[in-house]
Amino acid sequence: MSDVRHVLVLPDRDAAEEVAEALARRFGSTEEPRLVRDALAGEDDAEDAQWLVVVEDPAGRLDAAALDALAEEYEGWLESE
């Protein structure tokens, strides 16, 4: 199976950090997720940024619907790759 990458989009850094921690608890994920600040296009204010939690899933074993549900708990969503 080919490598899969999941990108969860969250409204702020705190939510992104909480989701990253929840990944290990809920899914037993051993891959360390990357947190990436994503400034919104056209926004000058540094506060106007989304945060991405990027999860490598080399075995393709993480359920996209469950990841989306997790992101929704923190007012985010799973971005389709």
Side-chain angles (χ1 to χ4, degrees):
M1 175 168 251
S2 63
D3 289 355
V4 177
R5 174 180 294 146
H6 303 283
V7 179
L8 291 82
V9 182
L10 287 303
D12 56 46
R13 183 182 184 120
D14 289 342
E17 289 175 345
E18 289 180 32
V19 166
E21 291 174 11
L23 284 168
R25 285 194 314 270
R26 292 192 190 184
F27 301 99
S29 177
T30 58
E31 296 291 324
E32 183 70 27
R34 283 187 300 129
L35 273 60
V36 180
R37 182 181 176 275
D38 183 32
L40 299 175
E43 296 293 336
D44 294 329
D45 188 350
E47 295 299 313
D48 290 326
Q50 296 173 328
W51 282 81
L52 309 178
V53 177
V54 181
V55 183
E56 300 296 334
D57 185 15
R61 65 179 189 81
L62 296 175
D63 178 53
L67 291 172
D68 190 42
L70 172 61
E72 285 180 6
E73 290 177 30
Y74 294 89
E75 299 179 8
W77 64 91
L78 177 66
E79 189 72 26
S80 300
E81 280 279 306

